[in-house]
Amino acid sequence: MTGTETGRLAPLLRWLGLTLVVILVLQMLAVLVGVDWSADAPRPQVTGPLVALAPLGFAGLLICLIGSRLDHPHQQRTPLRLLIAVLSALLALGMVIAVPMSLDGGAGDVARQRNLEQGREALKDARAFRADAAQVTSLGEQLAQAGQLAADATEEDKLRAAQKMVDDQIAQMEAQLKAVEAGQARESQQRFIGGTITAVVLAIAFALLAFTAVL
């Protein structure tokens, strides 16, 4: 690449990189403005979207640094490189702060946790009902009185019908709880990979970029 081509490319790279940084700032502001900080209700998780936007800033700062290196290859520290170092350091600090926030993100949905606990309590009560022979016998009598059993049903028939009904309900409740718990486990894994691990990697990347800008 000739010096003339380099001279034309460097300003273009700087402006392209700065444009990406501006887009990053605008998108972050859009995420933060969309949160009602004064509301008492649980706030939506903002760590995930902010971490997802951070690579945009990394790409913009890296492109700016490349443009600056091409434009001033023999100068170690220019105002633009110092700005890149400062912004990279701030974003690295932000990623470090995002790590514990992403780990605590699973506790944000209070309503879901409450519903899950209620489901576990209901399953516990159903199992206790199934273990109580007197209650199961009473249920069999109720089924017979409601006409859900044959008129000549014996006591054993009533007991088996009541046991089957309770067992079916317990099986259904167990399946629903397992589905909810599996969904929560998948969400937790997604948060850990897409939030925690990504934030750690980005923190290292921004720190390296900050050092590179001033070397």
Side-chain angles (χ1 to χ4, degrees), residues 35-46 105 108-110:
V35 178
D36 187 1
W37 300 99
S38 62
D40 294 332
R43 301 186 184 99
Q45 294 298 319
V46 298
D109 197 341
V110 179

Side-chain angles (χ1 to χ4, degrees), residues 140-141 143-145 147-161:
E141 294 294 338
L143 293 176
Q145 294 175 4
Q148 298 185 24
L149 300 178
D152 58 347
T154 64
E155 295 297 324
E156 186 177 353
D157 293 335
K158 297 176 184 178
L159 181 61
R160 281 199 300 266

